[in-house]
Structures are given as C-alpha cells and as structure tokens.
Amino acid sequence: MRPVIRGNHPTDGQGNDIVFNHYSKSRGPLIGRIGEYCSYCEMHLDSSLAVEHVKPKKHNPEEELHWDNFLLSCTNCNSTKGQEDVDLNEYLWPDTDNTFYALQYEEGGLVSPSDRLNGNPALKQKAQDTITLTGLDKQPVNAPAASDRRWINRREAWDIAVESKSDLVNNDTPEMRRQIIRSATARGYWSIWMTVFEDDADMRRRLIEGFPGTCNACFDANNGYAPVSREGGQC
Ligand SMILES: [Zn+2]
C-alpha cells in the first residue's frame, strides 16, 4: 500500500482554508495531491473514484467534512471497508504509516503482512487486520464476471511489471525507463512495481517521484530506496 502525503488543508488565494460544503468537493484537491489511485488497492481509476472517509461518517459525523479524514478509494475497497467504526490505532494507514513497509506483494498479485514485521507480532496483526478490513486478501476465484477485480488487475500488473523488467535488461535506456514509469502510472498498483523493481534503485526513485504524493521520506535513498519507518507513524 503506497504511503501518501495528503498535505495540509487546501487554501484559497487568500490563504484561508477552503470550506467543503460537501465531502465530494474535496475530490479534486485530493486527486491533485495523491493522484487518481485507490488509496488501498492502488488501482488507477479514471472515474468512480470515491472520497473515502478513513473514519466512517456514519459513526463520526463531526468528521464528515474534515480534510484529514479523507482519502480516495475504489468502490470495492470502499464497500468492503464499509461503515463499521474503526479504531485508527488498530490498523495501519497510508497517510500516517509506511504501509509499504508493512505489506508484501508477490507473484499473482497476492498481498500479505510483510516478513519485516516478524519480530513484532502486534504490528504484524495490524497489517493483517488492515488487509482484511479492505479485502486485499480476497482469494482469487475463476469468475470472469466478478465485479471485484482487484486481485485480477493486481496479477496483471505483476505480469506486466515483470515483462517490463525483462525488456529493460535487453534495452536499458533512459527512454525505456521513462516508458515503464508511464505504464506504471497509467495502470496503478505502485506497490507491485516497487516490488518487482526492488533491486533497481533508479526505477524505485522514478516510481516514488512518478506517483503524486508518495511519501519519499518513507524510503532510504542511500539504501536502494528500501522502506523505513515513517516519522510519527506506527511503522
Ligand atoms: Zn481499491
């Protein structure tokens, strides 16, 4: 899950906080900050991108219009997460934690808690609970008409990333590297690309810079852009 920076409340030309009279009005500013991607499954969405309340508005009506309570999500993540009240401290969040550090991605588009958390069972449990909350561990099923296509799209992204890496071996030019970033940003699933290009620091840097609002402080530029703990976060 890509760690993102939502940034401070958007302001108008006079420096005053823009008042959102409906939460949907925040969609544009959110897209400008963190791009047209689901904050949880990382799918790129040209449409149907919902303003997601981290703390559901049903249980937290006072935060219905709070900028700090907004992310973007697809309909599948949004509906899986649902309206159940959540204790923020029981889960990991892409706007406050290094959620890439906490989750791992594998061939087939499978998502699980990262082995990095093996020494910290409590944190590992939170990573698992985060996956369950958003439904990122839904089992692949052979159902061409399934409406929840997140795992299928993630698997495809994995395969394309692997092919791209192979192409790069045969034709390693700055143009090819830029083209791969264009493919990645058009498709989404940043974490998949970051995983496949784990041993290529230059590509990792390009991926961090290419997806708007990625928290670059979550990665160590002196160590191949390996994920590091996020300041102020649980991981
Ligand atoms: Zn999603």
Side-chain angles (χ1 to χ4, degrees), residues 89-92 102-103 112-114 117-133 137 234:
N89 291 320
E90 308 239 326
Y91 303 91
L92 303 173
L103 304 185
S112 59
S114 174
L117 307 183
N118 283 349
N120 189 336
L123 202 54
K124 192 161 189 178
Q125 186 61 50
K126 289 183 185 184
Q128 179 58 58
D129 291 344
T130 302
I131 291 168
T132 305
L133 180 73
D137 58 351
Q234 301 180 82

Side-chain angles (χ1 to χ4, degrees), residues 25 30 112 192 219:
K25 297 280 172 50
L30 284 166
S112 59
I192 292 281
F219 300 90

Side-chain angles (χ1 to χ4, degrees), residues 12 20 37 68 113 138 150 179 218 221 231:
D12 61 19
F20 302 115
Y37 304 97
D68 289 344
K138 286 197 174 168
R150 291 175 294 175
Q179 184 55 46
C218 284
E231 196 178 336

Side-chain angles (χ1 to χ4, degrees), residues 12-56:
D12 61 19
Q14 278 74 48
N16 300 312
D17 283 1
I18 294 170
V19 176
F20 302 115
N21 54 16
H22 189 270
Y23 63 82
S24 62
K25 297 280 172 50
S26 68
R27 184 183 289 111
L30 284 166
I31 288 172
R33 296 280 179 85
I34 61 177
E36 288 181 284
Y37 304 97
C38 176
S39 303
Y40 302 123
C41 74
E42 308 180 70
M43 175 187 298
H44 179 267
L45 278 165
D46 299 323
S47 61
S48 305
L49 196 55
V51 174
E52 145 76 4
H53 290 87
V54 178
K55 291 160 82 175

